[in-house]
Amino acid sequence: MSDAITPNPYAAPASNLQQPSPDHAPSIEEALARGYDFSIGALLSESWSKVKGTKGIIIGGFLVFYVVLLAASFILGGVLGIFGALSDNLFMVFVGEILISLLASALAYPFMAGINMVGIRRAADQSLSFNEIFSHFGRTVPLIITAVVMMLLIYLGLILLLIPGIYLGVAYLLAIPLVVERGLSPWQALEASRKAITQHWFKVFGLFIVLGLIVIVSALPLGIGLVWSIPLMVVAMGVLYRTIFGVLPATR
């Protein structure tokens, strides 16, 4: 008779995602199957310890983004306004508003993906670069599709019964970084995020309630505290992402 011990097929899956191997990350299927857990206090404590070295990158990235967005919107709005005035056509004004909205989306979602990746790389103790924030414009189309589908489903949930919309608003928190960090399609990213966060939905919801309160309180003294609270929120999302999915080795 063999002395080998057969694993119990009914045993709870081991959760090793809290301290993932630096040279290996589980597949999405593995991450979802073996589960995860975290303490809000411990996650915030770790995130705070990792904020150092990220403030300049994150705050500087936000400043550059808003300057570029304002400049591009001003130039595009001015050009279209001139054509609208010359032709005395309200349709041109309407088209201009749509184009400015599309421009904002085309800039915003890749930028937010870059901000997410800064937090994820910091959570995994990978090297950080300011260029990371602006390195994901090649995925603009899937990122916009992800955001549009996500917003439609959330708004539909809010209109119908409110609670489904709140549930999806939390459950889809990690969809955008999944598109860029794992290269998932929009629907795959949305479903992976939903399935993962659903395992501890109330705890994730509580985490972001606490983070939201921290940001609000930090904004009261002339907004100075935002220099720390915004990076804290970014890194906390990165730590949550790493805890659930692990992080692939950096290729740059």
Side-chain angles (χ1 to χ4, degrees):
M1 185 173 71
S2 172
D3 292 332
I5 299 175
T6 303
N8 179 3
Y10 302 104
S15 177
N16 298 319
L17 289 177
Q18 281 72 22
Q19 298 295 332
S21 169
D23 57 359
H24 172 73
S27 67
I28 297 298
E29 293 76 13
E30 290 171 339
L32 293 175
R34 61 184 181 177
Y36 68 97
D37 200 1
F38 68 94
S39 158
I40 293 177
L43 190 147
L44 289 174
S45 178
E46 179 185 354
S47 301
W48 178 250
S49 71
K50 293 178 179 290
V51 164
K52 183 178 180 181
T54 66
K55 295 192 295 295
I57 293 175
I58 293 171
I59 300 302
F62 272 106
L63 292 175
V64 170
F65 167 72
Y66 283 116
V67 168
V68 171
L69 179 60
L70 287 173
S73 299
F74 178 78
I75 293 171
L76 180 60
V79 171
L80 292 172
I82 291 172
F83 279 108
L86 292 175
S87 62
D88 195 21
N89 192 340
L90 292 177
F91 177 73
M92 288 297 297
V93 177
F94 177 71
V95 170
E97 293 296 328
I98 293 177
L99 289 177
I100 290 173
S101 296
L102 291 174
L103 173 65
S105 297
L107 292 174
Y109 291 113
F111 167 76
M112 291 309 302
I115 290 289
N116 286 157
M117 285 306 301
V118 169
I120 289 169
R121 297 211 182 281
R122 186 69 183 96
D125 293 323
Q126 296 176 357
S127 60
L128 297 180
S129 168
F130 185 76
N131 293 334
E132 180 74 52
I133 297 177
F134 304 99
S135 298
H136 304 288
F137 283 88
R139 292 191 176 273
T140 297
V141 173
L143 285 170
I144 290 178
I145 293 173
T146 302
V148 169
V149 174
M150 178 171 60
M151 289 298 103
L152 287 175
L153 292 174
I154 291 172
Y155 288 149
L156 181 61
L158 290 172
I159 292 170
L160 293 179
L161 292 170
L162 184 64
I163 293 177
I166 297 173
Y167 160 73
L168 291 176
V170 176
Y172 288 155
L173 279 171
L174 300 180
I176 293 296
L178 281 167
V179 171
V180 295
E181 203 270 333
R182 292 302 181 100
L184 300 186
S185 70
W187 187 248
Q188 287 174 333
L190 289 165
E191 278 296 279
S193 178
R194 183 187 64 80
K195 290 176 181 178
I197 290 180
T198 296
Q199 295 180 26
H200 292 286
W201 188 92
F202 285 100
K203 193 174 287 188
V204 175
F205 180 68
L207 170 65
F208 282 91
I209 288 293
V210 173
L211 285 168
L213 291 173
I214 290 173
V215 170
I216 291 171
V217 172
S218 70
L220 295 179
L222 302 177
I224 296 174
L226 293 174
V227 174
W228 289 269
S229 62
I230 290 177
L232 173 64
M233 178 173 279
V234 171
V235 175
M237 182 172 283
V239 173
L240 177 64
Y241 182 97
R242 185 211 65 202
T243 300
I244 298 174
F245 297 110
V247 181
L248 295 175
T251 57
R252 292 188 294 275

